[in-house]
Amino acid sequence: KKPDNHILVIFGASGDLTHRKLVPALADLHKQDLLPEKFAVLGLGRTPLTNEQFREKMSTGIQEFSSKKGDVPNGFLKRLYYYSFNTKEGAEYKGFKDYLLALDKEIGSGGNFIFYLATPPSMYPLIPRFLSEQGLSRDDKGFRRLIVEKPFGHDLASARQLNRELLNYFKEEQIYRIDHYLGKETVQNLLVTRFSNGIYEPLWNRNYIHHVEVTSTEDIGVGNRGGYYEESGALRDMVQNHLLLLTSLVAMEPPALINAESIRNEIVKVLQSLRPIPKEEVPRYVIRGQYIESEVKGQHVKGYRQEKGVDPKSRVETFVAMKFYIDNWRWAGVPFYIRTGKMLPTRVTEIVIHFQPTPHHLFADDPAIIRQQNQLVIRIQPDEGLLLKFGMKVPGAGFRVQDVNMDFHYSDLSDTYLPSAYERLLLDCMLGDPTLYSRGDAVEAAWNFIDPILQAWKEEPCIKVHGYPAGTWGPEEADELIEGDMTWRYPCK
Ligand code: BG6
């Protein structure tokens, strides 16, 4: 089914997100004939541009970043429009409204509008207010939806405040809070892996799972985003949203139905069951690090403090590893470990389910080399797939056991196209399906868990920020988080 005719209005259209992610994703939807017949993208920004100039700029973005190869479709470029005004000034919204309604009439999009906030977060409460003053948030004459990019607040109080402000002008059903991780095909596959296979779900609990690891690393630094990152750090940038969301999907109960309400109810229950880490315990449960100037394969690499826009004395973390528990029936006593960082050896996002060992080690001659436990590795990216590790007898005399892999790669499905996260999410919003978007209560529950950690770091400057050389797996202290003689899984060590 195609979405209803509409106009997608992008605030912040001259920014990076529009040109690298949004417009290429829309072009890919166009190539698959998934966009409605009467559809336009209206870019808004302060920089004055003609439609032609905007189309040209977007065309380079599509060439560089779209997932579907081939020429930039002319038919799509013709659907792009641009209108320039100062979005900070409420008085200027009347002119914008007139332009929008005239465009709506011209193309016949039926008064349906999606407003996408791809601006700096300081604009998030303002724009909805100004839209509402113009009567553009009311959905009685067509649908009106609002997509809000991250960051959604910078702590619990600001997230609550933002939710309150948005809800003054739009109803919860109209608000689509984006976390692009939920748009990833392999993240959605977590639900299918768990809930469509009889073999996993019976084992998916404290009786059979020893611990769970969620890792999301990058091999690049902060690049040009130093200014943003100084206000954020890895805990806000990756853990509060993406990694807690992955954890929720691993830990949630089966939803009653596959619909937005049921799935989002189960996600929020997990987030509300996260055991808070008391401020004084933060150094025991959370390790933070920052990449330092180093040599990687003979190349000099800048430290975080030398990056553009970064305070030379910055204590902002570019790495976080943490341990926590989910206090509920299914997961009581099972440690969860999550880890993320910039400038690590590789880009990888994966979830590792470590199953309990057998109760008695029949085949281990030497207890020190007891074979690793069974692991299910769910690879979110890049090499998307599933890997099950188990023990096999080494052929020949005796009973020597060796770990072997049963491996599935999405790339083996040669004719399957993996849509990008933005492609999937934009299409869902156009179809009015909020399942893969975050609900307000979930965002607040995640902040509620993160807040004491932020406070401890702020109030106790003696909590160390461990320096780690680029190209390593972060501070060694992160290894000590994991109980017993186990370590993190190092995908390419
Ligand atoms: C973004 C963060 O949300 O996610 C970035 O702001 C990070 O710092 C990015 O690089 C990672 O996304 P992906 O899809 O490349 O794993």
Side-chain angles (χ1 to χ4, degrees):
K1 178 175 172 272
K2 278 195 189 185
D4 290 340
N5 297 332
H6 68 278
I7 298 180
L8 173 67
V9 182
I10 304 178
F11 287 83
S14 38
D16 244 25
L17 184 74
T18 307
H19 139 269
R20 295 170 74 101
K21 300 279 185 193
L22 303 182
V23 171
L26 291 164
D28 288 334
L29 289 173
H30 173 97
K31 287 182 195 166
Q32 294 161 82
D33 196 21
L34 292 171
L35 294 175
E37 190 194 331
K38 293 169 179 172
F39 169 78
V41 178
L42 173 58
L44 305 177
R46 268 188 91 157
T47 328
L49 292 178
T50 61
N51 287 340
E52 270 323 309
Q53 285 167 323
F54 182 58
R55 288 171 186 166
E56 220 163 276
K57 205 170 149 209
M58 293 302 118
S59 166
T60 43
I62 298 170
Q63 261 153 13
E64 204 174 331
F65 301 109
S66 95
S67 323
K68 286 210 156 280
K69 298 297 156 222
D71 294 339
V72 181
N74 228 336
F76 173 73
L77 288 179
K78 281 202 292 210
R79 296 171 145 198
L80 303 182
Y81 297 81
Y82 186 85
Y83 180 79
S84 146
F85 79 113
N86 181 356
T87 50
K88 286 188 183 149
E89 286 301 327
E92 295 203 15
Y93 277 70
K94 172 76 177 74
F96 154 65
K97 178 187 172 179
D98 292 344
Y99 178 88
L100 176 66
L101 295 184
L103 181 63
D104 175 50
K105 214 164 169 192
E106 181 188 321
I107 66 167
S109 41
N112 296 322
F113 307 128
I114 298 178
F115 301 105
Y116 197 117
L117 304 188
T119 62
S122 56
M123 294 298 292
Y124 291 179
L126 278 187
I127 296 171
R129 184 171 106 215
F130 296 143
L131 290 175
S132 153
E133 282 170 6
Q134 298 300 328
L136 287 171
S137 62
R138 292 181 41 183
D139 56 357
D140 46 359
K141 295 201 191 79
F143 70 67
R144 305 289 156 89
R145 298 179 188 138
L146 182 73
I147 305 186
V148 188
E149 255 300 330
K150 71 176 270 247
F152 199 90
H154 58 270
D155 57 11
L156 177 60
S158 56
R160 278 196 180 137
Q161 169 77 11
L162 179 55
N163 269 332
R164 267 198 302 270
E165 279 167 6
L166 296 182
L167 288 167
N168 281 335
Y169 311 112
F170 285 83
K171 290 178 277 186
E172 177 64 36
E173 313 80 87
Q174 294 175 281
I175 304 173
Y176 289 69
R177 298 171 194 79
I178 217 164
D179 181 322
H180 79 281
Y181 266 56
L182 249 189
K184 291 181 193 276
E185 194 61 43
T186 43
V187 173
Q188 295 153 35
N189 185 46
L190 263 168
L191 296 178
V192 174
T193 302
R194 285 194 53 198
F195 302 130
S196 79
N197 289 296
I199 55 169
Y200 296 126
E201 198 47 27
L203 304 180
W204 214 264
N205 58 54
R206 63 189 300 274
N207 298 321
Y208 301 102
I209 292 182
H210 184 271
H211 67 280
V212 176
E213 198 183 312
V214 181
T215 288
S216 184
T217 64
E218 291 174 280
D219 54 1
I220 50 170
V222 295
N224 289 328
R225 298 168 75 221
Y228 155 78
Y229 209 80
E230 278 287 274
E231 298 300 315
S232 152
L235 191 67
R236 289 187 173 96
D237 188 46
M238 292 292 291
V239 179
Q240 185 273 338
N241 36 60
H242 309 324
L243 296 195
L244 289 184
L245 185 77
L246 291 179
T247 306
S248 310
L249 295 180
V250 170
M252 70 192 259
E253 294 303 313
L257 298 166
I258 288 296
N259 66 26
E261 193 62 9
S262 295
I263 293 180
R264 300 199 304 174
N265 282 346
E266 297 309 331
I267 289 179
V268 84
K269 283 188 213 161
V270 176
L271 293 168
Q272 288 168 343
S273 313
L274 297 175
R275 184 188 302 171
I277 301 175
K279 271 199 262 177
E280 57 291 357
E281 296 282 348
V282 165
R284 274 187 57 212
Y285 284 89
V286 191
I287 302 296
R288 57 174 166 171
Q290 191 186 75
Y291 60 89
I292 53 174
E293 206 173 348
S294 40
E295 290 276 318
V296 182
K297 296 180 192 142
Q299 296 262 323
H300 170 256
V301 178
K302 276 195 263 182
Y304 174 68
R305 291 179 183 180
Q306 283 86 50
E307 299 278 16
K308 206 171 97 202
V310 172
D311 177 351
K313 293 199 178 117
S314 175
R315 287 172 59 78
V316 167
E317 78 288 354
T318 58
F319 174 95
V320 178
M322 64 194 284
K323 169 181 171 180
F324 60 89
Y325 291 91
I326 299 175
D327 283 336
N328 66 13
W329 202 269
R330 186 184 284 262
W331 296 111
V334 178
F336 280 73
Y337 299 96
I338 62 185
R339 174 177 63 159
T340 182
K342 302 246 182 227
M343 280 295 188
L344 300 193
T346 188
R347 173 174 183 258
V348 65
T349 299
E350 64 175 30
I351 295 161
V352 190
I353 309 294
H354 296 258
F355 291 95
Q356 295 282 12
T358 51
H360 173 59
H361 303 298
L362 267 182
F363 302 114
D365 300 335
D366 174 357
I369 50 159
I370 287 176
R371 190 179 64 72
Q372 282 208 315
Q373 291 149 238
N374 290 124
Q375 293 175 2
L376 177 67
V377 182
I378 304 167
R379 281 188 313 252
I380 305 293
Q381 62 187 25
D383 177 21
E384 294 83 358
L386 276 185
L387 164 68
L388 183 65
K389 285 179 157 305
F390 60 101
M392 281 271 290
K393 179 180 176 301
V394 177
F399 282 99
R400 277 202 304 125
V401 182
Q402 188 190 331
D403 256 331
V404 292
N405 294 341
M406 238 161 82
D407 212 354
F408 161 72
H409 302 262
Y410 268 75
S411 54
D412 294 343
L413 303 172
S414 54
D415 52 352
T416 305
Y417 168 69
L418 283 189
S420 74
Y422 277 95
E423 221 177 300
R424 172 68 203 256
L425 292 174
L426 283 168
L427 184 62
D428 279 3
C429 177
M430 293 175 184
L431 291 164
D433 179 358
T435 311
L436 301 178
Y437 285 83
S438 303
R439 212 166 60 188
D441 53 354
V443 176
E444 289 183 17
W447 276 120
N448 190 43
F449 176 67
I450 294 295
D451 249 22
I453 307 171
L454 290 170
Q455 275 165 23
W457 286 352
K458 194 165 150 204
E459 289 163 19
E460 302 289 344
C462 58
I463 302 179
K464 254 192 116 172
V465 182
H466 302 274
Y468 64 92
T472 66
W473 285 97
E476 283 168 7
E477 285 74 5
D479 274 330
E480 287 153 27
L481 280 178
I482 304 213
E483 285 161 31
D485 49 8
M486 278 171 285
T487 60
W488 299 90
R489 193 178 113 84
Y490 292 104
C492 67
K493 213 173 184 181

